[in-house]
Amino acid sequence: MACRIDRIDRGTIGSQDENVFYVIHPLDDTEEEKINMDQPMEMTLGVKLALYGLKAYIALVIVLALFRFLSLAKLL
Amino acid sequence: MASAGNTIKQPAVRTARSAWGRNLLTFLMVFGPGLIVMEADNDAGAVATYVQAGAQYGVHLLWLVIVLLPITYFIQEMVARLGIATGQGHAALIYNRFGKWWGRFSLVDLLTVNFLTLVTEFAAIAMVVDRLGIPVYLAVPLAAVGLIAVGLSGGYRRWERIAIVLCLLDCAWLVLAVVCYPTGAGAARAALVPYAPPGGITLDFVYLAMAIVGTTIAPWQLFFQQSCVADKRLRFADLKWARLDTFVGAVFTIIVAACMMLVGALSYKHGIPFTDPAQMADALIPIAGHAVRIAILLMMVNASVLGTMAISLASSWAYGEVMGWPHSLQKKITEAPGFYAVYVACVAGAAAIVLIPRAPLQTIIISVQVLAGLMLPPAVVFLQIMLSDKQFMGQFANTRWNNIVNWTIVVLLFALSAVLTVQVLAPELLHWH
């Protein structure tokens, strides 16, 4: 993508032809500044409910796994 | 910018003479993660599931594969978008945004299910080479060494090219499908118009349908593509090409999956009992010939190799992200020793387990199903929550219709994972055995 072309002096590349499009591989391009997601998520009501739901689901699966284990061991 | 005496290295720049040429060149540069993540999901387990579906029910489940196309695309599009926006992998984001508990839970579950899946991939390789008359104790270690060499081949681009070639080799399934099921009209009708198989919709039919859905959307895919996109350093402006890459990958994968089902349908047509794809390949010799048998077996190996390449990298990236280690294929072994050590350990460890006599492979397969069922709902819920955060995501946040579609998919996947997990762990609760 020629998105970084504004940071490159066309003169250094060699061509001043306006009909030439320059494309740079992402790995060869300068790194762009990304969105910083290092901060914790804001715990809105929706997010809290979703996380509680996930914890309940995980607990259910663990209980089922225990149930299966005990069944196979003929302890139930 | 160069000036007299300045030795700044210019980036490698390609030129195009037209806007169309520029777009094509850009797409080809961005192309890769979407295709690989989708096609690598057609691994040994997927081959077994799709071929079984064809062998047991003919073309009656083809429509389901088509229905899964938009679901897989929407999920992976979100992943690609999040990776491009943040430049980070999914594991790192879960750790940073949702805390250590969720971060470690996701990491441990991912590493465990990935490792067990790798065992099933090598088990499939072992099964195939055994049928080909090649000693398992020679072929499996060689496969492991080869896969390790590919991972350490030096550079993201080389790895990606190898992976893409392996993906494109799956075009052989199209040829096999034409040979095994030449009546395309019947297949097309079944793909577009669902209808019950003879005997009606039984519990086994429903279970296999759910297994197909579970096979088509795997938790490692979320982690793999986001890390891959981040490692490839895709830019904001690359998003539309990444979406196209993901869409092309989804279409290709669904077509290959449908072809696998059609190959299995030959077995259904002739009433051949099905045990596994390798057994089916042998049983089809009188009908389809030795060439088809060899092709099916080799494609099974290809599926396993491709799956192993992607899944082991997904683990390495995730572990490196959470541990804060350098974690890029662009780095040399000496620059990212931990990252490559995890990769080697995953591949070598999985291969070693398969070589153990009477290894509990059936238990491992069931464990994969349970752990995947445990892993998938949180991973997609985190994905959806993070992309709904307009404050952070800005232009990359979900739109309203995105949220409607995606939450619907999340709820469906959640319900499906729950039912599948219950079915495996406590079938008597659902009267399924």
Side-chain angles (χ1 to χ4, degrees), chain B residues 152-169:
Chain B
L152 274 54
S153 60
Y156 173 90
R157 272 180 268 215
R158 183 172 300 167
W159 173 87
E160 186 184 71
R161 282 174 196 146
I162 294 171
I164 288 174
V165 166
L166 294 180
C167 289
L168 296 178
L169 281 178

Side-chain angles (χ1 to χ4, degrees), chain B residues 13-359:
Chain B
V13 178
R14 299 290 182 102
T15 57
R17 284 281 170 187
S18 64
W20 185 88
R22 174 200 62 199
N23 291 341
L24 177 62
L25 204 49
T26 308
F27 170 67
L28 290 174
M29 286 181 177
V30 171
F31 178 73
L35 174 70
I36 296 168
V37 74
M38 293 292 190
E39 191 55 26
D41 194 44
N42 279 341
D43 60 356
V47 172
T49 303
Y50 295 130
V51 170
Q52 180 186 355
Q56 292 185 341
Y57 298 103
V59 295
H60 292 91
L61 280 167
L62 261 183
W63 62 271
L64 181 58
V65 172
I66 308 300
V67 164
L68 289 172
L69 171 60
I71 294 175
T72 55
Y73 170 75
F74 280 122
I75 294 287
Q76 294 307 135
E77 185 276 337
M78 283 201 284
V79 169
R81 185 158 29 107
L82 190 58
I84 286 175
T86 63
Q88 291 184 278
H90 204 51
L93 285 183
I94 292 174
Y95 198 88
N96 292 336
R97 297 286 274 158
F98 295 95
K100 288 181 185 174
W101 194 91
W102 284 113
R104 285 174 185 155
F105 166 78
S106 299
L107 183 66
V108 169
D109 199 344
L110 177 75
L111 292 179
T112 307
V113 73
N114 279 0
F115 182 75
L116 295 177
T117 305
L118 290 176
V119 173
T120 65
E121 308 290 1
F122 278 105
I125 292 174
M127 181 173 61
V128 168
V129 299
D130 189 46
R131 288 202 180 252
L132 289 172
I134 302 169
V136 171
Y137 288 96
L138 175 66
V140 169
L142 273 177
V145 167
L147 282 159
I148 289 171
V150 167
L152 274 54
S153 60
Y156 173 90
R157 272 180 268 215
R158 183 172 300 167
W159 173 87
E160 186 184 71
R161 282 174 196 146
I162 294 171
I164 288 174
V165 166
L166 294 180
C167 289
L168 296 178
L169 281 178
D170 276 348
C171 288
W173 283 106
L174 280 77
V175 177
L176 280 170
V178 169
V179 168
C180 294
Y181 204 92
T183 52
R189 175 176 168 258
L192 296 171
V193 182
Y195 59 101
I201 299 176
T202 62
L203 282 172
D204 283 343
F205 181 81
V206 172
Y207 170 59
L208 190 54
M210 291 197 298
I212 289 172
V213 179
T215 292
T216 310
I217 302 158
W220 67 264
Q221 291 181 282
L222 278 68
F223 293 83
F224 172 85
Q225 188 178 12
Q226 191 165 333
S227 296
C228 193
V229 158
D231 203 354
K232 195 171 180 177
R233 302 215 312 242
L234 293 190
R235 302 152 294 201
F236 297 151
D238 294 330
L239 178 58
K240 63 181 177 189
W241 304 117
R243 282 174 169 148
L244 181 57
D245 173 32
T246 303
F247 181 72
V248 166
V251 170
F252 183 70
T253 297
I254 294 301
I255 289 174
V256 170
C259 290
M260 291 177 186
M261 220 178 270
L262 291 176
V263 170
L266 181 62
S267 189
Y268 172 82
K269 183 179 171 186
H270 292 275
I272 298 171
F274 176 87
T275 306
D276 59 71
Q279 165 268 335
M280 186 198 73
D282 283 347
L284 286 177
I285 290 175
I287 302 163
H290 284 278
V292 166
R293 171 186 177 261
I294 296 292
I296 292 173
L297 293 176
L298 290 179
M299 293 319 298
M300 285 177 64
V301 172
N302 187 57
S304 297
V305 167
L306 186 54
T308 303
M309 281 176 66
I311 293 169
S312 49
L313 258 185
S315 292
S316 301
W317 272 320
Y319 200 79
E321 287 160 18
V322 173
M323 297 302 288
W325 296 342
H327 54 276
S328 170
L329 286 169
Q330 287 292 89
K331 295 200 179 291
K332 298 176 191 169
I333 298 172
T334 49
E335 293 169 336
F339 169 69
Y340 288 109
V342 172
Y343 179 84
V344 172
C346 286
V347 174
I353 286 179
V354 164
L355 294 177
I356 297 172
R358 292 189 299 278

